[in-house]
Amino acid sequence: MSILPKSVTNLIEEFARLPGVGPKTAARLVFYLLSKPADDIERLGKAVSALKKDLTQCGVCFNYAEKNPCAICANNERNKKLIAVVEEPLDIVAIEKTGFDGLYHVLGGVISPIHGVGPEDIRIDQLIHRVREGKVKIEEIILATNPSLEGEATAMYIHQQLSSEPVKITRLARGLPVGGDLEYADEATLSRALEGRKEY
Amino acid sequence: MSILPKSVTNLIEEFARLPGVGPKTAARLVFYLLSKPADDIERLGKAVSALKKDLTQCGVCFNYAEKNPCAICANNERNKKLIAVVEEPLDIVAIEKTGFDGLYHVLGGVISPIHGVGPEDIRIDQLIHRVREGKVKIEEIILATNPSLEGEATAMYIHQQLSSEPVKITRLARGLPVGGDLEYADEATLSRALEGRKEY
């Protein structure tokens, strides 16, 4: 690659650091940009550089925000008695699309002994504090961590920690994904779908 | 998405313009960046902004370059009698990996009547000029356009245009890709592999 101009190899290396972007994809992206007008490239560069400027963290839900509290926590039309507990801010984007109108709590990870992440490393204490000391009485906590081993363990741990509080604790349903094919469903998912069957 | 900070949606939109990057991938990339230190983000932003600065085009082969002529054309250890004709600068990156030591000629596209691209819109005249007027006598032109309909048509057109010149004109071999599986090869590829068979 030494035959490429330095600015080109430099950006290929930077792009290749991104998750899911290998050196070939990175090269393709850079050559695509090279074929674009300088203004388009400059706009992308500025958008990257500006990403974290004026960005703060919401002191209530710990999502990325422009103000503290964030637009969701400050919105009085949302149901403040309902909190969805998620692993990462990106999960909020997915849940928002469903029309969910409660608030969120971003854990900032999952309990994972293998990676040296204990309960004290994610925002479980802050969640308990919200339940106990919050201005609005919370009625339901939806544990919306991923349906992975670590997500399940984290949900179970939080459930235990909150069991003595007068709050309803629920977990996202597991079952067949909509549009999925029974034939290709894995055993664990199909077992969960049977367990959680509903009357027609 | 309106619940996301403006700088976040802005970068998601910019990333989603890149080829092969949908809005979901774009969001994943942006949230990945958000989890990184500000320095890393700034480095990427600067790499993007600096991409086209100090970049020029080689007046000989029309590749992107830091100087004119480019590092390849200016390198006296390369075989200047051999030219590989490619569609885009990215193709050079692929060919360089094979250890090819000749020079290149970037057409900047292919002849494509459907897209309104005629022979005069790509750098065929410049190639003919290189063959006729170049300081070094060119002995072989390898037509390394893609093995697509348009790539073939462009190669054929260039072949016709150069047929009266005293230069050997070759085309990249078509056949089974290395590591490929005969069972999954398409008809056209297999026909070409049979046609081009070699004595053992």
Side-chain angles (χ1 to χ4, degrees), chain B residues 36-52:
Chain B
K36 294 281 141 192
D39 282 359
D40 287 18
I41 299 175
E42 190 53 37
R43 215 179 46 225
L44 173 60
K46 278 188 180 152
V48 172
S49 299
L51 181 60
K52 269 200 173 167

Side-chain angles (χ1 to χ4, degrees), chain A residues 112-131:
Chain A
S112 171
I114 263 187
H115 297 103
V117 182
E120 67 288 353
D121 298 317
I122 61 175
R123 301 187 196 99
I124 295 178
D125 285 346
Q126 290 89 328
L127 176 64
I128 295 171
H129 185 262
R130 267 179 92 173
V131 171

